[in-house]
Amino acid sequence: MPSLAQRTPLFSVIVRRLAALSGLLVSVAAFTAITPLSAIAQAAPAATPSGITVTGYGEASAPAEKGTLQLLLSRGDYYGGPPPQPRPGDVPGAEEKRLAEPVVQALVDKGVAATAVTVVVSPVLGSSVAYGPGGPAVARIDVALDKPELSTLNDLVGSASVAAANESLVIGLAGAGYEVADCDALDVAARQAAITDARDRAGRQAKLLGVQLGEVVASSDVPATADATINYFGVSVPQNGCAPPAPSVALNGPGLTVTVPTFDSTTEPEVELYARVSLTFAIKA
């Protein structure tokens, strides 16, 4: 008489699958037995620190040790029509440098060393056809200064403006960037202020929650939102010399944009550094 398995093909399939499943379970058990518990623990995701998490804000400043004044020269009649077109035989930048010479001389007459003044012009003929804030640019005058003072900066901008007007030019935009030699000291001071602020915030939060504040169990940097500012062209530029330089964006012709913050005639030349720190404090039992 045939067996049950012979008479029922489905029964045979079920028996084979049960046997295969039993072998798989035995393999998993054997793997678990020989795998160190430390390896299994490392595979598990790390637990998120629990407690009170706050963000502290800090800033530090110091008088500028060096400064860069940038003056963007534009044609005074830029609303009256397009700038002069280049002629055959013209040398790129030659006419622009000639137009900028009286302004440079006015700065030198104010006591600025000639070697501290750089005239930046476009290497492209007719590049001043670009329009926008400040009109079609003629040249950019960069002035390097040691220990800049606000009164000196205002005097230089005023003298340059008068000299430009005598040549039918205008200062389309004035920018000023400041630097210090030791950025690390400012960074430490700003971070320390941020940590102190975070501790104060955590203490107030713990008091409101009716708990005791424990030790710091986690810390992380948070990007500071005040590291850069928007200049007159809408380009993001660093506020101080401790940040990376601004990208070169040519809005008034190749190389003829201001790469430092817009000059503020009422603010003392200082380098300011900002920091944000996120701290997590344990809650005492």
Side-chain angles (χ1 to χ4, degrees), residues 21 86 108 171 216-217 232 241 248:
L21 180 60
V108 173
I171 304 297
V216 175
V217 296
Y232 190 67
S248 178

Side-chain angles (χ1 to χ4, degrees), residues 14-283:
I14 294 175
V15 171
R16 287 196 298 271
R17 291 186 176 179
L18 287 175
L21 180 60
S22 299
L24 178 61
L25 293 175
V26 171
S27 298
V28 172
F31 172 77
T32 304
I34 63 175
T35 302
L37 292 177
S38 59
I40 299 176
Q42 290 175 0
T48 301
S50 59
I52 295 177
T53 300
V54 295
T55 299
Y57 303 83
E59 62 178 285
S61 62
E65 298 173 3
K66 291 184 178 297
T68 299
L69 180 66
Q70 293 185 346
L71 304 173
L72 194 66
L73 291 181
S74 300
R75 300 183 186 277
D77 58 350
Y78 59 84
Y79 286 116
Q85 296 300 306
R87 298 167 298 180
D90 283 353
V91 178
E95 176 65 11
E96 287 77 7
K97 288 183 178 180
R98 186 191 68 80
L99 291 173
E101 283 180 0
V103 181
V104 173
Q105 187 59 49
L107 296 173
V108 173
D109 291 343
K110 283 293 182 178
V112 176
T115 54
V117 182
T118 303
V119 178
V120 182
V121 296
S122 171
V124 179
L125 283 173
S127 64
S128 60
V129 297
Y131 285 87
V138 172
R140 192 186 77 207
I141 299 177
D142 293 359
V143 184
L145 300 168
D146 289 327
K147 297 182 179 179
E149 296 183 357
L150 184 60
S151 58
T152 301
L153 291 169
N154 281 324
D155 191 25
L156 292 178
V157 173
S159 298
S161 178
V162 172
N166 292 335
E167 302 299 322
S168 297
L169 301 174
V170 296
I171 304 297
L173 182 64
Y178 307 122
E179 300 178 20
V180 291
D182 189 2
C183 286
D184 288 342
L186 278 183
D187 181 65
V188 170
R191 288 175 180 273
Q192 184 58 62
I195 291 173
T196 300
D197 182 54
R199 289 186 180 276
D200 292 341
R201 292 173 182 270
R204 291 194 295 269
Q205 188 168 337
K207 183 177 180 180
L208 293 172
L209 293 173
V211 297
Q212 293 294 319
L213 201 63
E215 297 296 322
V216 175
V217 296
S219 173
S220 62
D221 282 349
V222 182
T225 57
D227 279 344
T229 185
I230 303 298
N231 70 9
Y232 190 67
F233 289 108
V235 177
S236 178
V237 295
Q239 289 197 129
N240 55 73
C242 292
S248 178
V249 180
L251 298 179
N252 286 67
L256 294 183
T257 185
V258 173
T259 59
V260 294
T262 303
F263 172 60
D264 185 349
S265 61
T266 63
T267 302
E268 292 292 334
E270 290 186 341
V271 174
E272 297 178 337
L273 205 61
Y274 300 88
R276 288 204 298 171
V277 177
S278 177
L279 299 181
T280 299
F281 295 82
I283 297 177

